[in-house]
């Protein structure tokens, strides 16, 4: 899949998408709101089992529970990792949220699983808030398009952000 600021192309199809509010960057930093340029793998993901069935995909997906979080705190030894806990002592993002953004999301290998603090966290592929509304650095698609992508994604596929 090739992603540019004008959209994505996958399997011969042009798919509208949203990128980070900071545009695209070759020098990603925590909190810059930019989508990092490069070649990404999609490693795994999670979904809201209380809102939808598990997507049909070759990727390993597990249900999101109420205590699921993602650490975005550069001082946390678990920076840019999935963590669990209703009360977590470091800055984090709740993965089970009211908005449907993370009804299904995919974890990219950007600065993961071995993370360098400050080089960006939680760079996911997920549902968009509304058409082309910027993300915090992720790539977001309309839910129907994300489901279409998931059904066709193979482990050998990559996302090329340029």
């Amino acid at each position: 899949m090739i992603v540019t600021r004008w959209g994505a192309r996958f399997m011969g199809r042009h798919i509208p998408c949203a990128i980070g509010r900071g545009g695209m960057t070759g020098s990603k930093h925590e909190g810059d709101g930019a989508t990092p340029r490069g070649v990404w793998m999609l490693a795994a993901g999670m979904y809201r089992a209380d809102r939808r069935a598990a997507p049909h995909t070759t990727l390993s997906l597990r249900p999101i529970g109420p205590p699921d979080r993602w650490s975005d705190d550069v001082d946390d030894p678990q920076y840019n990792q999935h963590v669990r806990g209703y009360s977590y002592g470091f800055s984090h993002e709740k993965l089970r949220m009211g908005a449907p953004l993370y009804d299904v999301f995919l974890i990219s290998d950007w600065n993961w699983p071995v993370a360098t603090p400050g080089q960006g966290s939680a760079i996911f592929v997920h549902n968009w808030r509304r058409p082309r509304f910027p993300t915090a650095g992720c790539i977001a698609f309309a839910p129907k398009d994300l489901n279409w992508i998931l059904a066709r994604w193979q482990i050998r596929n990559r996302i090329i952000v340029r």
Side-chain angles (χ1 to χ4, degrees):
M1 174 186 299
I2 299 192
V3 176
T4 70
R5 62 184 178 157
W6 297 284
R9 181 158 292 288
F10 182 59
M11 297 186 73
R13 183 174 166 192
H14 180 269
I15 307 167
C17 68
I19 62 168
R21 68 182 175 278
M24 294 182 172
T25 185
S27 181
K28 178 72 181 154
H29 299 286
E30 187 67 41
D32 64 6
T35 300
R37 286 190 174 97
V39 179
W40 307 357
M41 272 182 25
L42 294 177
M46 300 178 84
Y47 70 98
R48 288 283 304 260
D50 61 321
R51 291 188 176 171
R52 61 163 298 152
H56 297 286
T57 185
T58 58
L59 293 168
S60 174
L61 301 180
R62 69 176 209 77
I64 300 169
D68 288 311
R69 312 280 190 259
W70 198 272
S71 175
D72 59 10
D73 191 324
V74 297
D75 294 323
D76 184 354
Q78 295 299 313
Y79 172 73
N80 200 28
Q81 301 295 321
H82 173 239
V83 294
R84 292 180 56 89
Y86 289 99
S87 177
Y88 191 71
F90 292 92
S91 175
H92 61 275
E93 188 172 359
K94 290 182 180 179
L95 298 177
R96 187 174 169 134
M97 57 177 68
L101 273 63
Y102 290 174
D103 281 4
V104 61
F105 73 90
L106 308 171
I107 303 165
S108 79
D109 69 341
W110 178 263
N111 201 27
W112 184 90
V114 178
T116 301
Q119 288 191 349
S121 63
I123 303 298
F124 299 147
V125 174
H126 60 76
N127 292 330
W128 65 17
R129 190 173 304 275
R130 60 182 182 266
R132 311 231 359 133
F133 188 85
T135 69
C138 300
I139 300 170
F141 295 95
K144 68 177 178 53
D145 291 331
L146 185 53
N147 286 330
W148 184 89
I149 292 165
L150 279 168
R152 289 155 182 82
W153 194 263
Q154 300 296 314
I155 298 300
R156 70 181 181 277
N157 292 134
R158 299 293 182 265
I159 296 176
I160 301 167
V161 180
R162 57 181 183 189

